C-alpha cells in the first residue's frame, strides 16, 4: 500500500512537471506569435514613390505610459545585407522638438531622400543601414507622429521624462522584435541629442544594474555637434563666430558678458537681445553650415541664431538646401501616412519637422551632461564625439572646450585622418573617449559629407581608429 502511494505521488509530480513544461512552451509560443503578429502589422510594404529595396522596414507606435497614453512613433530599417549579423543603432535628433524621421532618416543616415517634387524618394548611397540595422525614434511626445492622449504632456516635456520614456520604448520594442534581444546596441544622434543620447545610455546602464535584464545590450554611443555643457558650448560658439569673421568685436564681447553663463534652452532677455544682434550681423547665411547657401523658403522656426537647434537641411542628388521643405510636403501626404501605419485618429493636423510647441515649453534641461560622461566612461562604454567644422551652432570649438573639461589622458595625439586619399578631418583618442572632426561638414555631418559620415560610423562600430593616410593606402 505504501509503495503504491509512492508510485501515485511520483506520477502526480511527473504529470504536474509535464503540464508546467507544456504551459511554458505554450506561453512562449503565444508570446512569439504575438510579437511576430505585431511585427507583421508594422511592416512597411512600400512607400509612395519609393525605389526598389531589398531590406525590410517597419514603422508604428509603442506605448510608453498607459496612464496618460504617451506613445512614441518609430521607423526601423533592417540592414541591406545579412541583418542578423549586424548591430542595432538607435538614432535620435534633438531640438528639443525635432523629428528623427524628418532629419536623421529623411536627410541624413536613412535609406531614402525626398525629391524636390515632395512626392517621390530616391536612394541614399551612403545610408547607414548598409552597415547596421537602423532604428529612428520620434521623441518625446508631440514630435513627428508621436502623441499623448493627455494634451498637457506636450507642455511638460523635459530631459528626465524623455530619457525615461525612451528607455520604456526600447524595453517594449525588444519585446516586439525579440530576434534583436541581446544584439549589440549603439546610440547615435546630434545637436540637442547631445543630452538625449548620454541620458538614455545612463538610464539603460542603471536599469541593467537594478534589474539584471540584459536584453538591451548597450555597447556605446556617438554624438555629433552635440550640446554638452552650456558654459563651454557658449564660449566655443562665440569664439568660432568671431574668429570666422561672422560677428563684430563689440557683439563678441557682449555675448560673452550676457550669455556665457546662461542656459541654452532658457536664456535671459538680455542674452536674447544680443543673440538677435548677432543674427543680424550674420546676415542671410545658414549658421548650421556657414559656407553653403541657405534655403530661402519659410522654415518651421524663425531663423534666429541659437534659438533653434534643428536644421533647415542641405542635400540632394544635386545640392538642395530645402530638403526639409520637401519632407514636409511628403510626410503630410495621406497615402504616405497610410503606408507608415499612422493612425488618422491621433495624427497631427499638420506634420512638421520640428514642434515649436514642444520647444517653447521645454522644462528641465541641465546645464551640463559632463557628469554623465564621467560616469559612463567608467562603465566601459565606447564613446565618440564628432564635429562638422563649418557649423556655428554647436561648433568644433565648443566640443573641444567640453572635452578639455573632462581632463582625460591622451592615448593618440591629434592628427589628420583620410578618406579617398584626402584629409577627412582630424581626430584625437583619449582614455575613454574618441573625438573626430569632419572637414567641410556643417551641423548635420551625414547631410553635408555623407561619404565621410559613412567612414565615421564604420570606424565607430568596429571600434577602430579613423584611417591614416598610410592605413588608407594599404586598404
Amino acid at each position: 500500500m505504501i509503495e503504491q502511494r509512492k508510485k501515485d505521488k511520483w506520477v502526480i509530480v511527473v504529470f504536474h512537471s509535464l503540464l508546467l513544461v507544456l504551459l511554458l512552451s505554450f506561453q512562449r509560443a503565444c508570446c512569439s506569435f504575438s510579437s511576430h503578429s505585431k511585427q507583421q502589422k508594422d511592416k512597411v510594404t512600400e512607400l509612395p514613390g519609393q525605389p526598389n529595396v531589398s531590406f525590410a522596414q517597419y514603422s508604428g507606435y509603442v506605448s510608453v505610459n498607459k496612464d496618460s497614453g504617451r506613445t512614441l512613433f518609430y521607423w526601423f530599417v533592417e540592414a541591406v545585407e545579412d541583418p542578423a549579423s549586424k548591430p542595432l543603432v538607435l538614432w535620435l535628433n534633438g531640438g528639443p522638438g525635432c523629428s528623427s524621421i524628418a532629419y536623421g532618416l529623411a536627410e541624413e543616415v536613412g535609406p531614402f531622400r525626398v525629391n524636390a517634387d515632395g512626392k517621390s524618394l530616391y536612394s541614399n548611397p551612403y545610408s547607414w543601414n548598409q552597415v547596421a540595422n537602423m532604428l529612428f525614434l520620434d521623441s518625446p511626445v508631440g514630435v513627428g507622429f508621436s502623441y499623448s492622449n493627455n494634451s498637457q504632456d506636450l507642455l511638460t516635456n523635459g530631459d528626465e521624462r524623455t530619457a525615461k520614456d525612451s528607455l520604456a520604448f526600447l524595453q517594449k520594442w525588444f519585446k516586439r522584435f525579440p530576434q534583436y534581444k541581446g544584439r549589440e546596441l549603439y546610440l547615435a544622434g546630434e545637436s540637442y541629442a547631445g543630452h538625449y543620447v548620454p541620458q538614455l545610455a545612463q538610464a539603460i546602464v542603471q536599469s541593467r544594474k537594478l534589474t539584471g535584464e540584459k536584453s538591451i545590450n548597450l555597447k556605446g554611443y556617438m554624438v555629433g555637434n552635440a550640446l554638452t555643457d552650456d558654459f563651454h558650448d557658449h564660449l566655443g560658439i562665440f569664439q568660432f563666430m568671431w574668429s570666422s569673421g561672422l560677428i563684430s568685436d563689440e557683439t563678441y564681447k557682449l555675448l560673452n558678458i550676457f550669455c556665457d553663463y546662461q542656459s541654452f534652452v532658457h536664456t535671459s532677455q538680455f542674452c536674447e537681445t544680443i543673440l538677435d544682434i548677432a543674427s543680424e550681423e550674420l546676415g542671410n547665411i545658414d549658421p548650421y553650415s556657414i559656407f553653403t547657401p541657405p534655403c530661402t523658403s519659410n522654415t518651421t522656426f524663425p531663423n534666429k541664431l541659437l534659438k533653434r537647434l534643428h536644421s533647415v537641411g542641405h542635400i540632394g542628388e544635386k545640392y538642395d538646401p530645402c530638403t526639409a521643405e520637401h519632407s514636409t510636403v511628403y510626410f503630410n501626404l495621406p497615402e504616405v501616412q497610410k503606408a507608415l501605419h499612422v493612425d488618422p485618429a491621433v495624427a497631427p493636423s499638420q506634420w512638421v519637422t520640428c514642434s515649436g510647441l514642444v520647444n517653447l515649453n521645454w522644462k528641465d534641461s541641465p546645464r551640463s551632461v559632463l557628469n554623465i560622461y564621467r560616469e559612463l566612461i567608467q562603465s566601459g562604454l565606447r564613446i565618440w564625439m564628432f564635429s562638422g567644422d563649418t557649423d556655428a551652432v554647436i561648433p568644433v570649438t565648443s566640443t573641444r572646450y567640453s572635452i578639455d573639461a573632462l581632463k582625460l589622458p591622451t592615448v593618440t595625439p591629434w592628427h589628420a585622418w583620410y578618406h579617398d586619399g584626402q584629409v577627412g578631418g582630424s581626430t584625437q583618442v583619449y582614455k575613454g573617449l574618441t573625438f573626430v572632426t569632419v572637414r567641410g561638414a556643417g551641423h548635420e555631418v551625414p547631410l553635408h559629407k555623407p561619404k565621410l559620415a559613412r567612414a565615421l560610423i564604420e570606424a565607430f562600430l568596429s571600434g577602430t581608429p579613423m584611417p591614416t593616410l598610410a592605413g588608407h593606402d594599404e586598404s
Side-chain angles (χ1 to χ4, degrees):
M1 181 66 75
I2 293 174
E3 288 299 317
Q4 185 60 42
R5 285 178 178 173
K6 285 183 178 179
K7 287 180 181 179
D8 291 344
K9 189 174 181 180
W10 181 82
V11 169
I12 291 170
V13 169
V14 171
F15 175 76
H16 282 167
S17 297
L18 286 171
L19 183 62
L20 182 61
V21 169
L22 287 170
L23 285 170
L24 289 172
S25 298
F26 178 73
Q27 186 181 37
R28 278 195 292 268
C30 284
C31 290
S32 177
F33 177 79
S34 176
S35 63
H36 179 74
S37 175
K38 288 180 179 178
Q39 275 188 45
Q40 291 308 304
K41 185 180 176 183
D42 286 357
K43 191 163 188 179
V44 177
T45 53
E46 188 176 8
L47 291 160
Q50 175 196 301
N52 292 328
V53 297
S54 60
F55 54 85
Q57 51 181 330
Y58 305 82
S59 66
Y61 300 99
V62 173
S63 172
V64 295
N65 186 285
K66 287 184 178 179
D67 293 337
S68 69
R70 288 202 301 278
T71 303
L72 300 182
F73 187 83
Y74 79 92
W75 189 342
F76 174 53
V77 290
E78 288 192 321
V80 174
E81 294 181 359
D82 195 16
S85 69
K86 301 288 197 305
L88 176 65
V89 175
L90 172 66
W91 176 275
L92 298 170
N93 275 90
C98 293
S99 166
S100 297
I101 288 167
Y103 293 101
L105 189 146
E107 66 176 45
E108 294 188 78
V109 303
F112 308 119
R113 295 283 187 272
V114 182
N115 281 310
D117 62 8
K119 297 177 181 178
S120 59
L121 307 170
Y122 64 93
S123 295
N124 171 16
Y126 305 105
S127 173
W128 285 11
N129 79 320
Q130 293 175 7
V131 295
N133 300 284
M134 296 297 302
L135 177 58
F136 300 88
L137 178 64
D138 274 346
S139 176
V141 292
V143 172
F145 293 119
S146 295
Y147 71 93
S148 175
N149 292 332
N150 182 356
S151 59
Q152 194 64 26
D153 280 343
L154 276 62
L155 305 176
T156 54
N157 280 309
D159 282 25
E160 186 176 347
R161 195 174 73 193
T162 298
K164 183 179 178 181
D165 284 356
S166 296
L167 174 60
F169 165 82
L170 277 176
Q171 292 168 336
K172 293 193 175 183
W173 189 88
F174 278 111
K175 289 180 180 178
R176 190 173 302 183
F177 290 83
Q179 68 268 35
Y180 284 93
K181 281 186 177 180
R183 186 75 60 93
E184 285 192 354
L185 171 68
Y186 297 90
L187 310 180
E190 70 193 13
S191 198
Y192 198 83
H195 279 210
Y196 294 161
V197 168
Q199 288 167 346
L200 176 56
Q202 181 188 47
I204 292 170
V205 170
Q206 291 177 349
S207 175
R208 192 163 52 191
K209 286 179 180 178
L210 286 173
T211 65
E213 174 60 47
K214 297 181 180 179
S215 61
I216 304 179
N217 183 21
L218 180 64
K219 291 296 185 179
Y221 69 83
M222 179 170 69
V223 291
N225 292 85
L227 183 68
T228 304
D229 179 275
D230 288 356
F231 174 75
H232 293 108
D233 287 339
H234 274 136
L235 202 65
I237 290 163
F238 306 147
Q239 183 176 327
F240 180 88
M241 289 194 298
W242 178 77
S243 62
S244 299
L246 301 176
I247 58 173
S248 64
D249 294 353
E250 293 77 15
T251 299
Y252 174 57
K253 292 172 184 175
L254 289 171
L255 284 168
N256 280 298
I257 292 169
F258 290 107
C259 296
D260 276 355
Y261 294 92
Q262 291 290 308
S263 163
F264 230 89
V265 175
H266 305 114
T267 56
S268 70
Q269 188 58 53
F270 284 118
C271 178
E272 288 195 9
T273 299
I274 307 305
L275 289 173
D276 287 342
I277 294 171
S279 291
E280 288 296 320
E281 290 181 351
L282 258 67
N284 188 26
I285 69 168
D286 182 0
Y288 295 85
S289 177
I290 63 174
F291 299 123
T292 54
C295 179
T296 54
S297 66
N298 293 327
T299 54
T300 306
F301 291 167
N303 188 15
K304 291 188 177 180
L305 182 65
L306 310 181
K307 289 190 178 180
R308 54 188 177 95
L309 294 184
H310 76 297
S311 173
V312 292
H314 325 266
I315 206 175
E317 288 171 305
K318 184 178 179 183
Y319 177 78
D320 183 353
C322 298
T323 306
E325 279 64 30
H326 309 330
S327 295
T328 301
V329 174
Y330 186 77
F331 289 113
N332 272 295
L333 295 175
E335 58 269 34
V336 171
Q337 295 188 9
K338 183 178 180 181
L340 290 172
H341 314 123
V342 175
D343 183 353
V346 294
S349 57
Q350 178 73 15
W351 182 91
V352 292
T353 56
C354 296
S355 168
L357 183 68
V358 170
N359 183 274
L360 293 172
N361 290 281
W362 199 257
K363 301 307 178 188
D364 59 297
S365 177
R367 295 289 187 94
S368 179
V369 293
L370 290 177
N371 58 316
I372 299 178
Y373 274 80
R374 294 184 182 99
E375 177 185 329
L376 295 180
I377 285 171
Q378 295 301 316
S379 73
L381 291 181
R382 184 181 305 157
I383 300 173
W384 283 34
M385 301 180 80
F386 64 95
S387 288
D389 63 9
T390 68
D391 174 34
V393 174
I394 307 289
V396 60
T397 45
S398 295
T399 303
R400 294 184 78 175
Y401 275 131
S402 290
I403 292 173
D404 184 63
L406 290 170
K407 305 299 180 187
L408 300 172
T410 295
V411 175
T412 306
W414 186 269
H415 64 279
W417 64 273
Y418 288 78
H419 186 74
D420 290 342
Q422 299 293 322
V423 173
S426 299
T427 182
Q428 182 161 343
V429 180
Y430 301 86
K431 186 177 180 181
L433 187 147
T434 295
F435 178 53
V436 180
T437 73
V438 182
R439 184 182 174 205
H443 193 65
E444 294 176 272
V445 168
L447 178 63
H448 298 97
K449 296 292 180 180
K451 286 181 70 174
L452 299 183
R454 254 285 301 277
L456 175 66
I457 187 64
E458 287 173 350
F460 170 69
L461 292 177
S462 63
T464 56
M466 298 303 293
T468 60
L469 185 58
H472 178 80
D473 289 342
E474 290 168 6
S475 61

